[in-house]
Amino acid sequence: MNESGHADLRHALPQARRYARALTGAQDSGDALVAKVLRGAIPDMPPRLALYAAISQAAPAPSEGGLMSARQRQLLLLTALEDLRLPDAAMVVGITAEDAGAEIEAARAALHAATVTDVIIIEDEPVIAMDIRRLVEACGHRVVAVTANEADAVALAARHRPGLILADINLGRGGDGIAAVARIQQAVAVPVIFVTAYPERLLTAERIEPAFLVTKPFQPLALAVATYQAITAGRPPIG
């Protein structure tokens, strides 16, 4: 591969890390998967798609008994979180666009039968907090608390022991969302989805980072997919 090709791969690494982390459920396993595929042969397709394809091929199979197949999970993550067009996502997983469309429809149906859990939302913008609550409840989950304050978030998590936390990074005067999650993780092992306008701040692989990121402004399906993956395949992203 020429220098231009290597530069394009480096440029695509943040997206590749986000996909791998969401697919495996944790930063360490996702970043290890990216490192593994970079040491091997990269498929002959545009760099970003090539990394997605290599990661999809090398990813460990999810545990049996889930509502979705590995391919369905991959297609949902690629189209909803990574915002790929259907033909590109189909190319990544190696099937036709028609077959990919059918797989995605089946996967979306499975979302409605996903595991129900208690959720805490940590968000300082009231309108966004309201939108997140509405979408989370539409997925069938129970929102047990909403807060914009770091200290309150820690106390609420200890009280409610939620099955999922959705958090903003910057809480303004309320503190820091990453710090709140780190404190919560000391006492409660819980998957976390960060909803942020600045995902690049958490995709450097230079420190402990979350497995699940949804970028503001977000689409309802993206949040639903991240929630499903966090609950069914995720491990706590910050410890």
Side-chain angles (χ1 to χ4, degrees), residues 51-202:
L51 284 175
Y52 287 149
I55 290 166
S56 299
Q57 292 167 12
S63 58
E64 295 183 2
L67 297 174
M68 295 185 200
S69 68
R71 177 178 289 169
Q72 288 170 346
R73 286 179 185 262
Q74 290 169 1
L75 286 167
L76 270 186
L77 290 171
L78 289 166
T79 55
L81 288 187
E82 297 305 314
D83 203 27
L84 289 190
R85 298 182 305 112
L86 180 62
D88 289 338
M91 182 191 306
V92 165
V93 301
I95 61 177
T96 67
E98 181 179 2
D99 287 342
E103 293 276 29
I104 288 173
E105 286 303 312
R108 288 181 178 178
L111 286 177
H112 297 291
T115 302
V116 173
T117 194
D118 292 338
V119 179
I120 288 178
I121 298 170
I122 308 172
E123 170 62 61
D124 68 319
E125 297 184 41
V127 173
I128 293 179
M130 182 175 61
D131 284 344
I132 292 174
R133 178 169 194 151
R134 176 174 54 80
L135 292 171
V136 167
E137 290 177 340
C139 291
H141 305 298
R142 298 175 292 269
V143 176
V144 295
V146 179
T147 181
N149 182 276
E150 178 182 332
D152 288 347
V154 176
L156 287 166
R159 183 190 311 161
H160 292 288
R161 298 278 171 166
L164 178 67
I165 291 175
L166 287 96
D168 193 3
I169 294 174
N170 185 355
L171 300 177
R173 295 181 179 179
D176 183 273
I178 297 175
V181 168
R183 292 171 61 189
I184 290 168
Q185 289 291 335
Q186 294 175 7
V188 183
V190 55
V192 179
I193 299 171
F194 277 99
V195 183
T196 175
Y198 308 101
E200 64 278 358
R201 289 175 51 188
L202 295 172

